[in-house]
Amino acid sequence: ARLGGMGRFGGRGWALVLLLALVWSSLCVGADAGDLWYKRGRRERPGVPLWKPPDATPVVVETPAPTEDTTPAPRMEGIEAIDNVDIEAPGALEKALAARARASDKELIVMAVGDTRDHRRMHKDPALSQISVDFAVNLVENLAALGLRNYLMLTSSAKLCDELRRDAQIDGCVHSSHLIDHPKLELWNVKPGDMFLLWAQQWRVVRRALQSGYSVMRVDSDVVFLEDPYLALHGPLLSPYAMVSQTDVFNLGTRPKCEADADRTPETNHPGVARCGLKRLETNGEEIKTQLNIGLTYFRRSAMSDDGPVLGVLNDMLSAFETKLGGEVAVDDEGNAITEALLDQPMFRSAVAVRAAASGGWRVAS
């Protein structure tokens, strides 16, 4: 019965089927000719050979030239390249600050990078020994993509600055000889260029920049910006504050939250804005502890006084570092120097606890 049904299809019906088959074949060849792999010069897609009639003229597909990007280049405002100088030389830092800060608002980004020992990584993957340099180069390129070149990079040596200028086109690096001849360095197991000394040199640059009238964003080299940070720092919520810093949370598995039923504290400077995020843990009643993380800290010069708490924090921290460095060396049970005792962050936190917290102007928000 089925064969009989096909027989009644008729000659005219079979002709129509043949015509449709030819049209379908032509469409398939045309689609293959326009296929992305074909346009890229391939005669076959992976695992799918293209059918071509024998001795056929090759199909030529013209790919339009890419349109020119007419987007204006990021604006690099009044930033000048500087020489690789020791900023402890008379007038050297002042000249570097003037060349690297934005002319319109005296904003400066300060970062530091070393190619010597980072004591926290001594027992980790040896490949990490140079990772800070890679981070710093990436940060400079990250900032440039956002239209920001107002950075000053302090390097652990003149040699490293020369290498960065040559290999990565870093045109804003300098070095410092501050404290490199201190008689207690060896006892603390610190060499010139080591991170603990470099960080102290960096904070000294920050303080001197603030004293010279510049606003400073101090940034760790492993920071990544997804947008221009000045949009937030100069915005209505943060603009009243002289210092803005990120925080760490020191209860495992927790972090500040702003939930629907969270208690909110009205913000007096901004009607309609409230702060939340600190609450007691339900399991043990222990309060979440937030502490400063100085990996990204911003100092607004226009909002601080010469004898105010913010500059006082930097004075106290730098004084604490030099007192610690010149005092009794902390040692472990085996008599080895505890170099981590020279870490800047605990000293900064202690100074803030004394200065900024006492002033009543400190706010914590998530």
Side-chain angles (χ1 to χ4, degrees):
R2 288 193 297 271
L3 289 175
M6 289 186 67
R8 288 194 297 270
F9 195 61
R12 186 174 298 175
W14 286 111
L16 179 60
V17 171
L18 180 59
L19 177 60
L20 289 173
L22 290 173
V23 171
W24 177 254
S25 176
S26 298
L27 289 174
C28 289
V29 172
D32 284 335
D35 184 272
L36 180 62
W37 289 92
Y38 197 96
K39 286 183 178 181
R40 291 180 177 177
R42 295 188 59 122
R43 295 306 181 196
E44 293 181 1
R45 287 176 292 174
V48 183
L50 289 178
W51 177 88
K52 295 185 293 292
D55 302 321
T57 303
V59 177
V60 178
V61 179
E62 294 186 2
T63 303
T67 57
E68 182 178 355
D69 185 3
T70 58
T71 304
R75 186 163 169 260
M76 308 297 189
E77 180 190 336
I79 310 300
E80 301 176 7
I82 57 175
D83 294 330
N84 176 11
V85 297
D86 179 358
I87 55 173
E88 306 308 323
L93 180 58
E94 289 72 20
K95 184 177 180 181
L97 296 174
R100 299 305 298 179
R102 292 200 305 207
S104 62
D105 53 12
K106 301 189 75 172
E107 289 283 359
L108 181 70
I109 300 169
V110 173
M111 62 185 78
V113 60
D115 58 351
T116 55
R117 296 177 303 167
D118 182 337
H119 295 73
R120 301 166 304 170
R121 296 178 175 137
M122 287 178 65
H123 304 294
K124 297 182 181 179
D125 187 340
L128 294 176
S129 62
Q130 296 293 317
I131 198 169
S132 295
V133 177
D134 296 334
F135 281 156
V137 172
N138 183 74
L139 177 56
V140 169
E141 294 179 354
N142 176 199
L143 292 170
L146 298 174
L148 302 172
R149 276 191 60 225
N150 56 318
Y151 70 87
L152 180 66
M153 180 186 293
L154 181 66
T155 61
S156 56
S157 66
K159 177 177 177 291
L160 177 58
C161 183
D162 282 339
E163 292 173 353
L164 289 170
R165 289 162 63 90
R166 182 191 67 230
D167 300 334
Q169 292 74 56
I170 301 296
D171 62 359
C173 64
V174 292
H175 62 280
S176 172
S177 58
H178 180 59
L179 295 177
I180 63 172
D181 295 323
H182 195 284
K184 286 288 191 75
L185 287 185
E186 186 175 353
L187 296 176
W188 279 100
N189 192 26
V190 173
K191 298 178 180 178
D194 281 356
M195 302 306 297
F196 294 103
L197 182 59
L198 179 65
W199 289 330
Q201 294 170 340
Q202 177 186 220
W203 283 113
R204 192 162 179 264
V205 170
V206 171
R207 181 179 65 178
R208 290 174 65 184
L210 292 171
Q211 291 170 336
S212 299
Y214 297 91
S215 293
V216 178
M217 187 192 315
R218 198 219 71 84
V219 185
D220 276 355
S221 60
D222 57 356
V223 168
V224 174
F225 293 101
L226 302 183
E227 65 178 10
D228 184 342
Y230 292 115
L231 297 176
L233 292 170
H234 291 176
L237 293 180
L238 297 180
S239 57
Y241 298 103
M243 183 173 74
V244 179
S245 180
Q246 58 186 8
T247 58
D248 280 330
V249 180
F250 284 92
N251 293 93
L252 292 178
T254 68
R255 65 175 58 194
K257 296 180 180 179
C258 283
E259 298 174 337
D261 58 348
D263 293 332
R264 290 174 172 80
T265 303
E267 177 56 65
T268 56
N269 294 329
H270 304 286
V273 176
R275 292 178 288 109
C276 65
L278 300 181
K279 68 175 185 179
R280 294 189 176 278
L281 302 180
E282 297 178 359
T283 55
N284 57 13
E286 188 177 331
E287 187 175 353
I288 293 177
K289 299 178 179 64
T290 57
Q291 297 197 44
L292 288 175
N293 182 318
I294 56 177
L296 194 159
T297 306
Y298 176 72
F299 302 89
R300 192 185 321 275
R301 186 61 181 93
S302 61
M304 66 179 68
S305 58
D306 291 342
D307 58 351
V310 175
L311 275 172
V313 164
L314 296 178
N315 290 332
D316 292 352
M317 180 189 63
L318 288 168
S319 176
F321 178 85
E322 294 199 28
T323 299
K324 176 79 73 173
L325 181 64
E328 183 178 355
V329 178
V331 296
D332 59 20
D333 293 340
E334 298 178 355
N336 300 313
I338 305 175
T339 313
E340 287 76 9
L342 299 174
L343 186 63
D344 56 347
Q345 187 158 264
M347 297 181 192
F348 193 97
R349 289 172 178 163
S350 297
V352 168
V354 173
R355 293 274 190 165
S359 73
W362 187 248
R363 299 288 185 270
V364 178
S366 60

Short mmCIF file of all heavy atoms in Angstrom, two decimals, residues 167-220:
data_model
loop_
_atom_site.label_atom_id
_atom_site.label_comp_id
_atom_site.label_asym_id
_atom_site.label_seq_id
_atom_site.Cartn_x
_atom_site.Cartn_y
_atom_site.Cartn_z
N ASP A 167 61.77 48.71 30.34
CA ASP A 167 60.99 47.55 29.89
C ASP A 167 59.48 47.77 29.92
O ASP A 167 58.75 47.07 29.21
CB ASP A 167 61.34 46.33 30.76
CG ASP A 167 62.81 45.97 30.68
OD1 ASP A 167 63.44 46.29 29.65
OD2 ASP A 167 63.33 45.37 31.65
N ALA A 168 59.00 48.68 30.76
CA ALA A 168 57.55 48.84 30.91
C ALA A 168 57.09 50.28 30.70
O ALA A 168 55.93 50.59 30.97
CB ALA A 168 57.12 48.35 32.29
N GLN A 169 58.00 51.14 30.25
CA GLN A 169 57.66 52.54 29.98
C GLN A 169 57.06 53.23 31.19
O GLN A 169 56.14 54.05 31.09
CB GLN A 169 56.70 52.66 28.78
CG GLN A 169 57.30 52.28 27.44
CD GLN A 169 57.48 50.77 27.28
OE1 GLN A 169 56.53 50.02 27.43
NE2 GLN A 169 58.70 50.35 27.00
N ILE A 170 57.56 52.90 32.37
CA ILE A 170 57.14 53.57 33.60
C ILE A 170 57.90 54.89 33.68
O ILE A 170 59.11 54.90 33.87
CB ILE A 170 57.44 52.70 34.83
CG1 ILE A 170 56.71 51.36 34.75
CG2 ILE A 170 57.07 53.45 36.11
CD1 ILE A 170 55.21 51.45 34.76
N ASP A 171 57.19 56.00 33.55
CA ASP A 171 57.88 57.29 33.49
C ASP A 171 57.71 58.10 34.78
O ASP A 171 58.03 59.28 34.80
CB ASP A 171 57.38 58.12 32.30
CG ASP A 171 55.89 58.45 32.39
OD1 ASP A 171 55.23 58.02 33.37
OD2 ASP A 171 55.38 59.14 31.48
N GLY A 172 57.22 57.46 35.84
CA GLY A 172 56.99 58.19 37.08
C GLY A 172 57.57 57.50 38.30
O GLY A 172 56.97 57.53 39.37
N CYS A 173 58.74 56.84 38.17
CA CYS A 173 59.32 56.12 39.31
C CYS A 173 60.54 56.86 39.86
O CYS A 173 61.27 57.54 39.14
CB CYS A 173 59.68 54.69 38.94
SG CYS A 173 60.96 54.52 37.69
N VAL A 174 60.73 56.70 41.18
CA VAL A 174 61.87 57.27 41.90
C VAL A 174 62.32 56.26 42.95
O VAL A 174 61.70 55.21 43.10
CB VAL A 174 61.48 58.61 42.58
CG1 VAL A 174 61.19 59.69 41.55
CG2 VAL A 174 60.26 58.42 43.49
N HIS A 175 63.37 56.58 43.67
CA HIS A 175 63.83 55.72 44.75
C HIS A 175 64.21 56.58 45.95
O HIS A 175 64.28 57.81 45.84
CB HIS A 175 65.01 54.85 44.32
CG HIS A 175 66.23 55.64 43.92
ND1 HIS A 175 66.36 56.23 42.68
CD2 HIS A 175 67.37 55.95 44.60
CE1 HIS A 175 67.52 56.87 42.59
NE2 HIS A 175 68.14 56.71 43.75
N SER A 176 64.46 55.92 47.10
CA SER A 176 64.76 56.66 48.32
C SER A 176 65.92 56.00 49.06
O SER A 176 66.01 54.77 49.12
CB SER A 176 63.53 56.70 49.24
OG SER A 176 63.85 57.24 50.50
N SER A 177 66.75 56.84 49.66
CA SER A 177 67.86 56.33 50.48
C SER A 177 67.56 56.47 51.96
O SER A 177 68.43 56.20 52.80
CB SER A 177 69.14 57.10 50.15
OG SER A 177 68.96 58.51 50.38
N HIS A 178 66.32 56.82 52.30
CA HIS A 178 65.96 57.04 53.70
C HIS A 178 66.12 55.74 54.50
O HIS A 178 65.58 54.70 54.15
CB HIS A 178 64.52 57.53 53.78
CG HIS A 178 64.04 57.80 55.18
ND1 HIS A 178 64.66 58.71 56.01
CD2 HIS A 178 63.00 57.28 55.90
CE1 HIS A 178 64.03 58.76 57.15
NE2 HIS A 178 63.03 57.89 57.12
N LEU A 179 66.92 55.81 55.57
CA LEU A 179 67.13 54.73 56.53
C LEU A 179 67.92 53.53 55.99
O LEU A 179 68.08 52.53 56.70
CB LEU A 179 65.79 54.20 57.10
CG LEU A 179 64.98 55.18 57.94
CD1 LEU A 179 63.66 54.53 58.36
CD2 LEU A 179 65.75 55.63 59.18
N ILE A 180 68.45 53.59 54.77
CA ILE A 180 69.13 52.41 54.23
C ILE A 180 70.44 52.12 54.95
O ILE A 180 70.97 51.00 54.85
CB ILE A 180 69.38 52.53 52.71
CG1 ILE A 180 70.32 53.70 52.41
CG2 ILE A 180 68.07 52.68 51.95
CD1 ILE A 180 70.75 53.74 50.95
N ASP A 181 70.97 53.10 55.69
CA ASP A 181 72.21 52.89 56.44
C ASP A 181 71.95 52.76 57.94
O ASP A 181 72.89 52.87 58.75
CB ASP A 181 73.18 54.06 56.19
CG ASP A 181 73.64 54.13 54.75
OD1 ASP A 181 73.85 53.06 54.14
OD2 ASP A 181 73.78 55.25 54.21
N HIS A 182 70.71 52.50 58.32
CA HIS A 182 70.40 52.40 59.75
C HIS A 182 71.17 51.23 60.37
O HIS A 182 71.20 50.12 59.82
CB HIS A 182 68.89 52.18 59.93
CG HIS A 182 68.42 52.41 61.32
ND1 HIS A 182 68.64 51.51 62.35
CD2 HIS A 182 67.76 53.47 61.89
CE1 HIS A 182 68.11 52.00 63.47
NE2 HIS A 182 67.57 53.17 63.22
N PRO A 183 71.81 51.45 61.53
CA PRO A 183 72.67 50.40 62.11
C PRO A 183 71.92 49.16 62.59
O PRO A 183 72.53 48.10 62.77
CB PRO A 183 73.34 51.11 63.29
CG PRO A 183 72.43 52.26 63.61
CD PRO A 183 71.85 52.70 62.32
N LYS A 184 70.61 49.24 62.78
CA LYS A 184 69.86 48.09 63.29
C LYS A 184 69.22 47.23 62.19
O LYS A 184 68.59 46.21 62.50
CB LYS A 184 68.74 48.58 64.22
CG LYS A 184 69.20 49.08 65.59
CD LYS A 184 69.64 47.91 66.46
CE LYS A 184 69.86 48.31 67.91
NZ LYS A 184 68.62 48.51 68.67
N LEU A 185 69.37 47.60 60.94
CA LEU A 185 68.71 46.84 59.87
C LEU A 185 69.11 45.37 59.89
O LEU A 185 68.27 44.47 59.80
CB LEU A 185 69.04 47.44 58.51
CG LEU A 185 68.39 48.78 58.14
CD1 LEU A 185 68.75 49.15 56.71
CD2 LEU A 185 66.88 48.71 58.30
N GLU A 186 70.41 45.10 59.98
CA GLU A 186 70.88 43.72 59.93
C GLU A 186 70.35 42.91 61.10
O GLU A 186 70.00 41.73 60.96
CB GLU A 186 72.41 43.69 59.89
CG GLU A 186 72.98 42.29 59.69
CD GLU A 186 74.49 42.29 59.54
OE1 GLU A 186 75.08 43.39 59.46
OE2 GLU A 186 75.08 41.19 59.50
N LEU A 187 70.28 43.53 62.28
CA LEU A 187 69.78 42.82 63.46
C LEU A 187 68.30 42.44 63.29
O LEU A 187 67.85 41.41 63.80
CB LEU A 187 69.95 43.69 64.70
CG LEU A 187 71.40 44.01 65.11
CD1 LEU A 187 71.43 44.95 66.31
CD2 LEU A 187 72.16 42.71 65.43
N TRP A 188 67.55 43.26 62.56
CA TRP A 188 66.15 42.97 62.28
C TRP A 188 65.98 42.06 61.06
O TRP A 188 64.86 41.79 60.64
CB TRP A 188 65.39 44.27 62.04
CG TRP A 188 64.97 44.99 63.28
CD1 TRP A 188 65.59 46.07 63.85
CD2 TRP A 188 63.84 44.69 64.10
NE1 TRP A 188 64.91 46.48 64.97
CE2 TRP A 188 63.82 45.64 65.16
CE3 TRP A 188 62.84 43.72 64.06
CZ2 TRP A 188 62.85 45.63 66.15
CZ3 TRP A 188 61.87 43.72 65.05
CH2 TRP A 188 61.87 44.66 66.08
N ASN A 189 67.09 41.61 60.48
CA ASN A 189 67.06 40.79 59.26
C ASN A 189 66.40 41.54 58.11
O ASN A 189 65.61 40.99 57.33
CB ASN A 189 66.34 39.47 59.50
CG ASN A 189 66.54 38.48 58.37
OD1 ASN A 189 67.55 38.53 57.65
ND2 ASN A 189 65.57 37.59 58.17
N VAL A 190 66.74 42.81 58.00
CA VAL A 190 66.22 43.66 56.93
C VAL A 190 67.38 44.20 56.12
O VAL A 190 68.40 44.63 56.69
CB VAL A 190 65.39 44.83 57.51
CG1 VAL A 190 65.00 45.81 56.40
CG2 VAL A 190 64.14 44.30 58.19
N LYS A 191 67.23 44.17 54.80
CA LYS A 191 68.22 44.74 53.90
C LYS A 191 67.61 45.96 53.20
O LYS A 191 66.40 46.06 53.07
CB LYS A 191 68.64 43.72 52.85
CG LYS A 191 69.31 42.48 53.42
CD LYS A 191 69.67 41.50 52.29
CE LYS A 191 70.33 40.25 52.85
NZ LYS A 191 70.64 39.27 51.77
N PRO A 192 68.45 46.90 52.75
CA PRO A 192 67.91 48.02 51.97
C PRO A 192 67.07 47.51 50.80
O PRO A 192 67.49 46.62 50.07
CB PRO A 192 69.18 48.74 51.49
CG PRO A 192 70.20 48.43 52.54
CD PRO A 192 69.91 47.02 52.96
N GLY A 193 65.88 48.05 50.65
CA GLY A 193 64.97 47.61 49.59
C GLY A 193 63.93 46.61 50.04
O GLY A 193 62.95 46.40 49.34
N ASP A 194 64.14 45.97 51.21
CA ASP A 194 63.13 45.03 51.72
C ASP A 194 61.82 45.76 51.97
O ASP A 194 61.80 46.96 52.26
CB ASP A 194 63.62 44.34 52.98
CG ASP A 194 64.60 43.21 52.68
OD1 ASP A 194 64.83 42.93 51.48
OD2 ASP A 194 65.16 42.62 53.62
N MET A 195 60.73 45.00 51.94
CA MET A 195 59.41 45.62 51.92
C MET A 195 59.11 46.45 53.16
O MET A 195 58.52 47.53 53.06
CB MET A 195 58.34 44.54 51.76
CG MET A 195 58.48 43.69 50.51
SD MET A 195 58.56 44.67 48.99
CE MET A 195 56.95 45.44 48.99
N PHE A 196 59.51 46.00 54.35
CA PHE A 196 59.16 46.73 55.56
C PHE A 196 59.81 48.12 55.57
O PHE A 196 59.21 49.10 56.01
CB PHE A 196 59.58 45.94 56.80
CG PHE A 196 58.80 44.67 56.95
CD1 PHE A 196 59.37 43.45 56.63
CD2 PHE A 196 57.48 44.68 57.38
CE1 PHE A 196 58.65 42.27 56.75
CE2 PHE A 196 56.76 43.52 57.51
CZ PHE A 196 57.34 42.30 57.18
N LEU A 197 61.02 48.20 55.05
CA LEU A 197 61.69 49.50 54.94
C LEU A 197 61.08 50.33 53.82
O LEU A 197 60.87 51.53 53.96
CB LEU A 197 63.19 49.29 54.70
CG LEU A 197 64.05 50.56 54.63
CD1 LEU A 197 63.93 51.36 55.92
CD2 LEU A 197 65.50 50.19 54.36
N LEU A 198 60.76 49.68 52.70
CA LEU A 198 60.16 50.39 51.57
C LEU A 198 58.83 51.01 51.95
O LEU A 198 58.51 52.14 51.56
CB LEU A 198 59.98 49.42 50.40
CG LEU A 198 59.33 49.98 49.13
CD1 LEU A 198 60.22 51.04 48.49
CD2 LEU A 198 59.06 48.86 48.13
N TRP A 199 58.01 50.28 52.72
CA TRP A 199 56.71 50.82 53.12
C TRP A 199 56.88 52.04 54.01
O TRP A 199 56.12 53.01 53.89
CB TRP A 199 55.90 49.73 53.83
CG TRP A 199 55.44 48.66 52.90
CD1 TRP A 199 55.14 48.78 51.58
CD2 TRP A 199 55.25 47.28 53.22
NE1 TRP A 199 54.77 47.57 51.04
CE2 TRP A 199 54.82 46.63 52.03
CE3 TRP A 199 55.39 46.53 54.38
CZ2 TRP A 199 54.54 45.27 51.98
CZ3 TRP A 199 55.11 45.18 54.34
CH2 TRP A 199 54.68 44.55 53.15
N ALA A 200 57.87 52.03 54.90
CA ALA A 200 58.11 53.20 55.74
C ALA A 200 58.54 54.39 54.88
O ALA A 200 58.11 55.53 55.11
CB ALA A 200 59.17 52.88 56.79
N GLN A 201 59.39 54.14 53.90
CA GLN A 201 59.79 55.21 52.98
C GLN A 201 58.58 55.77 52.24
O GLN A 201 58.45 56.98 52.03
CB GLN A 201 60.82 54.68 51.99
CG GLN A 201 62.15 54.28 52.60
CD GLN A 201 63.05 53.53 51.63
OE1 GLN A 201 62.58 52.98 50.62
NE2 GLN A 201 64.34 53.49 51.91
N GLN A 202 57.68 54.87 51.84
CA GLN A 202 56.49 55.29 51.10
C GLN A 202 55.59 56.20 51.95
O GLN A 202 55.10 57.22 51.48
CB GLN A 202 55.71 54.06 50.65
CG GLN A 202 54.42 54.38 49.93
CD GLN A 202 53.63 53.12 49.65
OE1 GLN A 202 53.05 52.97 48.59
NE2 GLN A 202 53.60 52.21 50.60
N TRP A 203 55.37 55.82 53.22
CA TRP A 203 54.53 56.65 54.08
C TRP A 203 55.16 58.01 54.33
O TRP A 203 54.45 59.01 54.52
CB TRP A 203 54.26 55.92 55.39
CG TRP A 203 53.24 54.84 55.25
CD1 TRP A 203 53.43 53.49 55.37
CD2 TRP A 203 51.86 55.01 54.95
NE1 TRP A 203 52.27 52.82 55.15
CE2 TRP A 203 51.27 53.72 54.89
CE3 TRP A 203 51.05 56.12 54.70
CZ2 TRP A 203 49.92 53.52 54.61
CZ3 TRP A 203 49.71 55.93 54.43
CH2 TRP A 203 49.15 54.65 54.39
N ARG A 204 56.45 58.06 54.32
CA ARG A 204 57.13 59.35 54.46
C ARG A 204 56.85 60.22 53.24
O ARG A 204 56.66 61.44 53.37
CB ARG A 204 58.63 59.11 54.64
CG ARG A 204 59.41 60.32 55.08
CD ARG A 204 60.76 59.88 55.64
NE ARG A 204 61.56 61.02 56.07
CZ ARG A 204 62.49 61.60 55.33
NH1 ARG A 204 62.73 61.16 54.10
NH2 ARG A 204 63.18 62.61 55.80
N VAL A 205 56.81 59.61 52.06
CA VAL A 205 56.45 60.36 50.86
C VAL A 205 55.02 60.88 50.96
O VAL A 205 54.73 62.04 50.62
CB VAL A 205 56.60 59.48 49.60
CG1 VAL A 205 56.01 60.16 48.37
CG2 VAL A 205 58.07 59.14 49.36
N VAL A 206 54.11 60.03 51.44
CA VAL A 206 52.71 60.45 51.59
C VAL A 206 52.62 61.65 52.52
O VAL A 206 51.94 62.65 52.22
CB VAL A 206 51.86 59.28 52.13
CG1 VAL A 206 50.45 59.76 52.50
CG2 VAL A 206 51.78 58.16 51.09
N ARG A 207 53.29 61.58 53.65
CA ARG A 207 53.23 62.70 54.60
C ARG A 207 53.80 63.98 54.00
O ARG A 207 53.20 65.06 54.13
CB ARG A 207 53.99 62.34 55.88
CG ARG A 207 53.94 63.47 56.92
CD ARG A 207 54.67 63.10 58.19
NE ARG A 207 56.11 62.91 57.99
CZ ARG A 207 56.95 62.62 58.98
NH1 ARG A 207 56.51 62.45 60.22
NH2 ARG A 207 58.25 62.46 58.72
N ARG A 208 54.93 63.88 53.33
CA ARG A 208 55.54 65.08 52.75
C ARG A 208 54.67 65.65 51.63
O ARG A 208 54.60 66.87 51.46
CB ARG A 208 56.94 64.74 52.24
CG ARG A 208 57.93 64.49 53.37
CD ARG A 208 59.28 64.01 52.86
NE ARG A 208 59.96 65.01 52.06
CZ ARG A 208 61.12 64.80 51.44
NH1 ARG A 208 61.70 63.60 51.55
NH2 ARG A 208 61.69 65.75 50.74
N ALA A 209 53.97 64.78 50.88
CA ALA A 209 53.06 65.27 49.84
C ALA A 209 51.89 66.03 50.47
O ALA A 209 51.50 67.10 49.99
CB ALA A 209 52.56 64.11 49.00
N LEU A 210 51.33 65.48 51.55
CA LEU A 210 50.23 66.17 52.23
C LEU A 210 50.69 67.50 52.82
O LEU A 210 49.98 68.51 52.73
CB LEU A 210 49.67 65.28 53.34
CG LEU A 210 48.93 64.03 52.88
CD1 LEU A 210 48.62 63.12 54.07
CD2 LEU A 210 47.64 64.39 52.15
N GLN A 211 51.87 67.52 53.39
CA GLN A 211 52.41 68.76 53.94
C GLN A 211 52.64 69.81 52.85
O GLN A 211 52.63 71.01 53.14
CB GLN A 211 53.71 68.48 54.69
CG GLN A 211 53.53 67.67 55.97
CD GLN A 211 54.83 67.20 56.57
OE1 GLN A 211 55.85 67.07 55.87
NE2 GLN A 211 54.83 66.92 57.87
N SER A 212 52.82 69.36 51.62
CA SER A 212 53.03 70.27 50.49
C SER A 212 51.73 70.67 49.80
O SER A 212 51.77 71.36 48.78
CB SER A 212 53.99 69.64 49.48
OG SER A 212 55.25 69.37 50.07
N GLY A 213 50.58 70.21 50.32
CA GLY A 213 49.30 70.64 49.79
C GLY A 213 48.65 69.71 48.80
O GLY A 213 47.65 70.09 48.17
N TYR A 214 49.14 68.49 48.65
CA TYR A 214 48.56 67.54 47.70
C TYR A 214 47.62 66.58 48.43
O TYR A 214 47.83 66.25 49.60
CB TYR A 214 49.66 66.72 47.01
CG TYR A 214 50.60 67.55 46.18
CD1 TYR A 214 51.77 68.07 46.74
CD2 TYR A 214 50.32 67.82 44.84
CE1 TYR A 214 52.64 68.85 45.98
CE2 TYR A 214 51.20 68.59 44.08
CZ TYR A 214 52.34 69.11 44.66
OH TYR A 214 53.19 69.88 43.91
N SER A 215 46.57 66.13 47.72
CA SER A 215 45.75 65.02 48.20
C SER A 215 46.37 63.74 47.66
O SER A 215 46.84 63.70 46.52
CB SER A 215 44.31 65.15 47.71
OG SER A 215 43.67 66.26 48.32
N VAL A 216 46.34 62.68 48.47
CA VAL A 216 47.10 61.46 48.12
C VAL A 216 46.22 60.22 48.26
O VAL A 216 45.54 60.04 49.27
CB VAL A 216 48.34 61.30 49.03
CG1 VAL A 216 49.09 60.00 48.68
CG2 VAL A 216 49.27 62.50 48.89
N MET A 217 46.25 59.38 47.23
CA MET A 217 45.68 58.04 47.31
C MET A 217 46.83 57.06 47.37
O MET A 217 47.59 56.94 46.41
CB MET A 217 44.79 57.74 46.10
CG MET A 217 44.03 56.43 46.21
SD MET A 217 43.25 55.91 44.65
CE MET A 217 42.52 57.44 44.11
N ARG A 218 47.00 56.39 48.52
CA ARG A 218 48.07 55.40 48.65
C ARG A 218 47.50 54.04 48.31
O ARG A 218 46.51 53.58 48.89
CB ARG A 218 48.63 55.40 50.08
CG ARG A 218 50.01 54.73 50.13
CD ARG A 218 50.19 53.89 51.36
NE ARG A 218 49.41 52.68 51.34
CZ ARG A 218 49.78 51.54 50.74
NH1 ARG A 218 50.91 51.47 50.07
NH2 ARG A 218 49.01 50.47 50.80
N VAL A 219 48.12 53.36 47.33
CA VAL A 219 47.53 52.16 46.75
C VAL A 219 48.56 51.03 46.74
O VAL A 219 49.70 51.21 46.30
CB VAL A 219 47.06 52.43 45.30
CG1 VAL A 219 46.33 51.22 44.75
CG2 VAL A 219 46.15 53.65 45.25
N ASP A 220 48.15 49.86 47.21
CA ASP A 220 48.98 48.65 47.04
C ASP A 220 49.04 48.29 45.56
O ASP A 220 48.10 48.54 44.79
CB ASP A 220 48.39 47.48 47.82
CG ASP A 220 48.81 47.47 49.28
OD1 ASP A 220 49.63 48.34 49.66
OD2 ASP A 220 48.31 46.63 50.04
#
